[in-house]
Amino acid sequence: MDELFTKIQDLIADKLEITDKSKITLDSSFRGDLGADSLDTYELVYAIEEELAVKIPDEKANEFETVRDAYEFIKAAQGK
């Protein structure tokens, strides 16, 4: 995986207290696979915005179902 995915994976592991990062894949569902609730999701979006210097509108953040959804939005927002 690339550097962006690794950073996102690290942030998810930290915010959701996941010790085995290999469980966090692009196809992981935030709620179903990773156990995130709405507060976790909000905190994660805030951490991503701070760490990766990208703005994620609330309506867009609510559309993130999988790690891939977030990854692709952030990648496009950063112009990579």
Side-chain angles (χ1 to χ4, degrees), residues 6-60:
T6 302
K7 287 180 181 179
I8 294 169
Q9 189 181 44
D10 289 344
L11 288 167
I12 292 169
D14 181 53
K15 290 298 171 192
L16 301 182
E17 299 177 357
I18 298 171
T19 55
D20 183 1
K21 289 182 192 172
S22 69
K23 292 182 179 182
I24 304 168
T25 68
L26 285 172
D27 295 320
S28 296
S29 161
F30 285 109
R31 286 181 168 77
D33 298 324
L34 304 177
D37 61 22
S38 56
L39 180 59
D40 292 329
T41 304
Y42 174 79
E43 290 176 348
L44 183 57
V45 167
Y46 180 75
I48 288 171
E49 288 179 330
E50 289 293 304
E51 185 74 23
L52 302 177
V54 63
K55 178 67 180 138
I56 303 171
D58 290 341
E59 62 275 3
K60 190 64 185 172

